[in-house]
Structure formats: C-alpha cells, structure tokens
Amino acid sequence: MSMKLGIIGGGQLAWMMKDAADKLGVELIVQTPSPNDPAVSIAQHSIFAAVDDAAATEILATKCDIVTFENEFVNLAALSLLEKQGVCFHPQLAALAPLLDKYEQRCYLRDLGLPVPQFLALSGEKKLESQIENLGFPVVLKARRHGYDGQGTFIIPDFATLSKIVNQTHSQFLVEEFVPFTKELAIIAARSVNGEIVIYPAVETLQKEQVCRWVIAPAQITQEQSLQIEAIAHKLLTSLQYIGVCGIELFLTAEGKILINEIAPRTHNSGHFSLDACETSQFEQHLRAVCSLPLGNTRLHCASAVMVNLLGYENSHCDYQKQRQQLANIPQATVHWYGKTEARPGRKLGHITVLLDQDHTNGVEEIIHKIESIWYPQ
Ligand code: ADP
C-alpha cells in the first residue's frame, strides 16, 4: 500500500514534489487556501483552508500517515494538540519551534555557538535610540514572523526611517547589523528519521530587493568554507533532531567569514537546481526523509548549473507561452512553470535551470543575462 503524505501548503514547493512522489509511490494530500494553488493539480486530494487552520490539519491528518510542511506560517500551539493526540509530523514540531520566529531562531543558533550577525529584539518598553546604539546604520529590520521573499525585511539607512516604520507597523521586530557581504550562499541539507545527514553542494545566490533572482551551483568558495558550511548544517540538524529537508542561507564577508542569515525548515528556492542537476532532487530527498526511506545521493551530475527565477513583473493573467518557449530553446535548459493563474510583480511564476558542462566562471553571466532579457520586458 502506498504511503500517504499530507502537506501543509500547496504552492510551488509542494507542486515540485510530484515526480518524486510518483517515483516513490507516495500519495500527496495538500492543505492550501485556494483551488488555484499550484499543488492542487498534482495532489490526490486537497483540503482548502489556510495553512494556520489547525482544524483543517486535523482533517488532513485523518487522510494520511504523516504530515509535513511546505510553508512555516503554521499555528504551532494548535498543532501541538494534534501531535499529542498522535498525529505524526515530520519534521516534528519540536524541531520547528525554535525556527518560526526570526528572533528566537537567531537566539537558538547563537546558543548553539553558530555564527550569526549581531541582533536584538525591539522592545516597546525601552527607548528606540538606546536599544540600537551598538549597531550603527544601516541596520536591517525584520518582522519576527511571516516574512518571505523580503516581505517584512527592511534595510534602514537612518534613525528617522527606523522610527517611522516601527511606529507605523504593529509587528514585532528583530533588528540586526547590516552585513556588507561579498556573496550570499545557501545550502540544502536533509536528515533522516534515523539521523543520517546528506548535504548538497553549497550554492551562490543573488537577491535583488531581497528576492532571489538566481542561484549558481556549486558556489565558488574555498574548500575550508565548504567544510565550515557543512559543519554548520550537521550541527544544526543534529541539534534539532530534524527530519526532512532544510535550507540554510548564509553571508560570506570580505574577510572570508561565514554568518548564517536564515533557516528555512522546508525545501528552498536555493535548492531548485537539484531537480535537473543532481542525482536526487531536494523534493525527492524530502519525501525520502519524511517517509523513512533511505536518503539519496546529492551529487551534481553536471559540472555546474544555474537556476534563474521567473518573477512576475506586472499584474496579469497571461501564461507567457512565447517567452517560455524561447527560454526552453536555450541549450541544456529546463523550464519549470508553476501554473499560477495570476502574475503579480515579484511573484515566483516559474524557474529555469541550465546545466553547464564546464566550470561556471565561463559564461554564466551571459546565460543569466540571456534568460533575463528574454523574460523581462526591455
Ligand atoms: P526573507 O525571510 O523574506 O527571505 P531574509 O531575512 O532572508 O528575508 O532577507 C532577504 C534578503 O535581505 C537577504 O537575502 C539579503 O540579501 C538581505 N539581508 C537580510 N539580512 C541582512 C543583513 N543582516 N545584512 C545585509 N543584508 C541582509
């Protein structure tokens, strides 16, 4: 009998599990707000409800063996009642608990001895000036919860801007030093039910206006830096007793120092290259880990690869057939189109991966440029 996996969230991250689910004989059942969400088309069954609707998750749990997440905007307190009643969550809720609030996540990493930027939680009780006096401008202000793709993250040049945003918004905030990084890096790691850990090659990512534009695998970093990043992943996943795939975003500074920016307790945009470029994609790896199957090989089966996000740039219902066809004609390219019915500026509509036969220092900029000039209007 096939394994039935419930997924909280039905966006593109769940949608990209389809091929792996077919291969492994796993049935997918999603909990997602709208019938238009990408994963509805690939799920055996869908429950239409917000991802933080624990009553809907209770119904989801009756239809599956294990519940996993493609989205971390859940109501952990409500879910823990279900866990107590015997619902099996992978990763377990205890592994998610320190990660969902960006301030608590930073504290957890710091207490583990892992490198993070200087940070603090803003308190309404104390004067703003005195709280941030050790940081100096610019600072980075982040909503403690529900931030994604740069929503809720602000790079703040001066005190007047900081106090305006803090006073106008009712969110709880984390403030941290601005890291003048030379590169942003990321790594995808997976841990199985019995503690085995596998790690993908570290990648370089580029964010514009806090949204990921492209990813190059593998990152051009020293072997020592690679080992240091792998050690971070090992320590973190072991300490959390994590089950599943996890994305770790990092900064590399001019002095060669590595700092953790953020942990995403799920599959991650920086790992999409693995669908086309690795023996086991991050999506298959996640299914393997949460369904207690042996983990797969994370090796690249090409010299390098570049993944470029296809971000919305207008409000439209267009399906961009013509641009997609032109992109698909690029040699060694695969276009992944998420089938969203509505485009909006900044919305992730799809991505393209191009495999490269050689070291990516040759020609990768031209490929990115070519893709972006086909995709974005001039
Ligand atoms: P989100 O959760 O919305 O993805 P992040 O915290 O990952 O937000 O921030 C998005 C981007 O903002 C990062 O990829 C990076 O480019 C920039 N950023 C975030 N924190 C810092 C920082 N402390 N210093 C410099 N840039 C930062």
Side-chain angles (χ1 to χ4, degrees), residues 4 6 27 52 64 88 149 155 165 189 221 231 266 275 281 369:
K4 291 189 172 65
E27 269 185 42
D52 62 356
C64 58
C88 179
D149 288 349
I155 300 185
I165 298 183
I221 51 175
R266 51 173 164 75
L275 269 174
S281 77
H369 180 74

Side-chain angles (χ1 to χ4, degrees), residues 102 117 140 142 147-151 153 155 176-179 181 184 207 210 249 251 261-262:
K102 288 190 185 202
V140 182
K142 296 181 176 180
Y148 72 100
D149 288 349
Q151 311 272 342
T153 294
I155 300 185
E176 61 187 30
E177 67 173 303
F178 176 83
V179 178
F181 54 80
E184 287 195 77
Q207 275 59 233
Q210 284 107 56
E249 300 172 18
F251 299 126
N261 173 29
E262 191 171 36

Side-chain angles (χ1 to χ4, degrees), residues 48-333:
F48 298 116
V51 294
D52 62 356
D53 181 340
T57 306
E58 188 167 8
I59 298 169
L60 176 74
T62 61
K63 301 184 186 300
C64 58
D65 306 301
I66 289 163
V67 178
T68 192
F69 307 85
E70 73 115 46
N71 181 304
E72 60 272 31
F73 302 143
V74 292
N75 178 346
L76 216 55
L79 294 185
S80 49
L81 298 176
L82 300 182
E83 196 174 53
K84 282 201 188 91
Q85 290 161 17
V87 174
C88 179
F89 291 99
H90 281 168
Q92 329 82 297
L93 303 185
L96 294 185
L99 302 180
L100 301 193
D101 174 307
K102 288 190 185 202
Y103 173 70
E104 287 169 10
Q105 185 185 110
R106 282 256 182 281
C107 293
Y108 185 84
L109 297 170
R110 177 200 57 201
D111 295 348
L112 260 185
L114 296 177
V116 288
Q118 262 195 75
F119 68 98
L120 55 97
L122 280 188
S123 146
E125 322 256 283
K126 292 192 214 140
K127 270 190 99 176
L128 192 55
E129 284 103 321
S130 62
Q131 294 185 68
I132 55 141
E133 65 191 4
N134 292 332
L135 289 182
F137 284 94
V139 291
V140 182
L141 182 71
K142 296 181 176 180
R144 288 176 55 167
R145 280 214 68 187
H146 301 293
Y148 72 100
D149 288 349
Q151 311 272 342
T153 294
F154 309 90
I155 300 185
I156 308 279
D158 52 37
F159 186 76
T161 317
L162 178 68
S163 88
K164 194 168 154 213
I165 298 183
V166 171
N167 292 328
Q168 274 175 357
T169 325
H170 295 290
S171 310
Q172 284 194 302
F173 285 110
L174 157 76
V175 185
E176 61 187 30
E177 67 173 303
F178 176 83
V179 178
F181 54 80
T182 50
K183 275 182 185 169
E184 287 195 77
L185 306 172
I187 199 160
I188 300 292
R191 185 175 173 279
S192 71
V193 174
N194 51 24
E196 183 196 354
I197 290 177
V198 294
I199 300 178
Y200 286 82
V203 297
E204 178 176 348
T205 69
L206 183 109
Q207 275 59 233
K208 278 192 196 156
E209 286 153 13
Q210 284 107 56
V211 182
C212 177
R213 292 293 283 254
W214 48 253
V215 171
I216 297 174
Q220 298 276 291
I221 51 175
T222 65
Q223 202 194 357
E224 199 189 331
Q225 288 161 345
S226 274
L227 292 174
Q228 201 186 330
I229 294 173
E230 285 177 18
I232 288 173
H234 256 275
K235 191 165 187 179
L236 177 67
L237 270 67
T238 306
S239 157
L240 291 167
Q241 299 281 291
Y242 192 85
I243 298 169
V245 159
C246 176
I248 305 176
E249 300 172 18
L250 309 122
F251 299 126
L252 178 65
T253 70
E255 303 77 47
K257 219 166 113 184
I258 289 181
L259 295 170
I260 303 175
N261 173 29
E262 191 171 36
I263 312 298
R266 51 173 164 75
T267 55
H268 190 254
N269 197 173
S270 66
H272 290 1
F273 72 95
S274 64
L275 269 174
D276 302 300
C278 293
E279 284 184 23
T280 314
S281 77
Q282 64 164 345
F283 303 100
E284 177 174 341
Q285 201 73 269
H286 188 70
L287 295 188
R288 288 181 165 276
V290 303
C291 297
S292 305
L293 297 167
L295 298 184
N297 195 315
T298 57
R299 218 175 17 223
L300 281 166
H301 57 57
C302 48
S304 58
V306 56
M307 186 287 316
V308 181
N309 275 333
L310 305 175
L311 301 174
Y313 51 80
E314 61 181 356
N315 291 305
S316 154
H317 292 279
C318 182
D319 66 1
Y320 301 97
Q321 264 301 345
K322 199 166 144 227
Q323 279 137 293
R324 282 157 57 192
Q325 190 51 54
Q326 277 177 280
L327 291 169
N329 290 340
I330 295 174
Q332 308 221 72

